Amino acid sequence: ATGEKFSVPTRCFVRSVCRCAPGLRPYLRYEKERRFGLDDTCGKRVAIRNNKPMMSSVWAAYERELRRRPLLTKSATSAVVAAAGDLVAQLIEQRRDAETRISAKRMLRYAVFGGAFAGPASHVWFGFLERVVRGKKPTTQLQLLKVLVDQAVFQPFFTWAFFVFMGILEGKNADTIVRQIQKLYWRTQFTKWWTWTPLQIVNFRYVPPAHRVLYINCVAFVWSIYLSVVRSSGKGEKRK
């Protein structure tokens, strides 16, 4: 209720934090000023911070890093998304088989794939596509041409590279990787075509070029779950 007082130690703690860490002050408001912190009587109530400014700050920080270090930012985002997708996939597999265990090594492999290949490759590809397939105006025909080139050239290569890259990280020999590609490639690629094509139409039509990899990463979270489940079911992968 309004006017509720906190204990003396709590008020002292908040004051100490404000004094020792001035950088936290913007995240604290007074009730009358709509900021975190104590009211005019130095500690009657601590307001609950609205999460909208926090999201704005996170987005502003992302935008800043994207301008300063676009490749590194996109690679880091891809690594986090790939690892998170695999974690969800492992949790799904664990529900099916209670004896399975979450593999940190497997998550790390997906993170390496996302950070070392998926993010950089997408960054380079989208930049190349913008330079090569261009027109005076962003017409619908131009956007559809970009989608067609993307689905016909980059996506088949990306699917193939995924199986090769992950096989190498797992220490598989060439014959094993080839057999896995022969078994799972077309199943995966056909699924990718009919799910990703409409998503890429949205991407090229409405998303600014600088944010296209971020958009892909958001969609790829679900796709990473699918890829992880497909690979593990296709080879009976054991958790380590």
Side-chain angles (χ1 to χ4, degrees):
T2 303
E4 178 185 1
K5 294 185 178 181
F6 286 100
S7 64
V8 173
T10 301
R11 295 198 299 271
C12 293
F13 172 75
V14 174
R15 291 194 197 99
S16 300
V17 170
C18 292
R19 292 169 183 168
C20 297
L24 295 178
R25 288 175 183 172
Y27 295 94
L28 301 173
R29 68 181 177 91
Y30 290 87
E31 287 184 353
K32 292 184 178 180
E33 297 177 359
R34 303 180 67 83
R35 291 179 180 271
F36 265 118
L38 305 176
D39 63 7
D40 294 337
T41 58
C42 299
K44 286 187 177 180
R45 177 183 171 119
V46 174
I48 298 176
R49 187 171 190 267
N50 191 338
N51 62 356
K52 190 172 182 179
M54 175 65 74
M55 294 304 298
S56 299
S57 299
V58 171
W59 179 253
Y62 176 82
E63 287 280 283
R64 183 172 60 254
E65 292 303 314
L66 191 61
R67 290 190 298 269
R68 292 177 179 175
R69 294 176 283 267
L71 179 58
L72 181 61
T73 301
K74 294 173 184 178
S75 298
T77 306
S78 298
V80 172
V81 169
D86 179 65
L87 174 61
V88 174
Q90 292 193 57
L91 292 174
I92 294 174
E93 295 164 15
Q94 193 175 53
R95 289 178 63 88
R96 297 175 180 175
D97 184 0
E99 296 182 358
T100 60
R101 296 181 179 180
I102 301 298
S103 171
K105 289 184 178 180
R106 179 172 142 180
M107 287 178 57
L108 180 60
R109 288 194 291 267
Y110 275 84
V112 172
F113 170 77
F117 178 79
S122 298
H123 170 75
V124 173
W125 169 251
F126 285 128
F128 170 79
L129 201 58
E130 283 299 311
R131 292 190 301 270
V132 173
V133 184
R134 56 188 304 178
K136 295 182 179 179
K137 295 182 179 180
T139 62
T140 302
Q141 292 80 359
L142 184 64
Q143 309 303 331
L144 291 177
L145 179 59
K146 290 181 181 180
V147 173
L148 178 62
V149 175
D150 177 72
Q151 295 300 310
V153 178
F154 182 69
Q155 298 306 329
F157 165 73
F158 188 92
T159 303
W160 173 85
F162 168 77
F163 288 108
V164 173
F165 198 101
M166 294 301 295
I168 292 174
L169 289 179
E170 292 167 358
K172 306 297 183 183
N173 57 44
D175 292 338
T176 302
I177 295 174
V178 169
R179 286 195 300 269
Q180 189 174 58
I181 292 175
Q182 291 173 342
K183 181 179 181 180
L184 301 175
Y185 178 84
W186 287 112
R187 166 190 169 186
T188 305
Q189 186 56 44
F190 279 125
T191 303
K192 191 173 190 179
W193 273 328
W194 69 260
T195 54
W196 278 80
T197 299
L199 295 172
Q200 287 289 54
I201 292 176
V202 174
N203 190 16
F204 288 111
R205 185 70 179 87
Y206 300 106
V207 180
H211 295 148
R212 283 176 182 165
V213 175
L214 176 62
Y215 170 85
I216 290 298
N217 282 334
C218 294
V219 178
F221 174 75
V222 179
W223 182 249
S224 296
I225 298 173
Y226 172 78
L227 285 178
S228 185
V229 171
V230 165
R231 288 192 74 257
S232 62
S233 64
K235 63 185 180 63
E237 180 179 14
K238 296 181 181 180
R239 285 29 172 215
K240 295 182 181 181

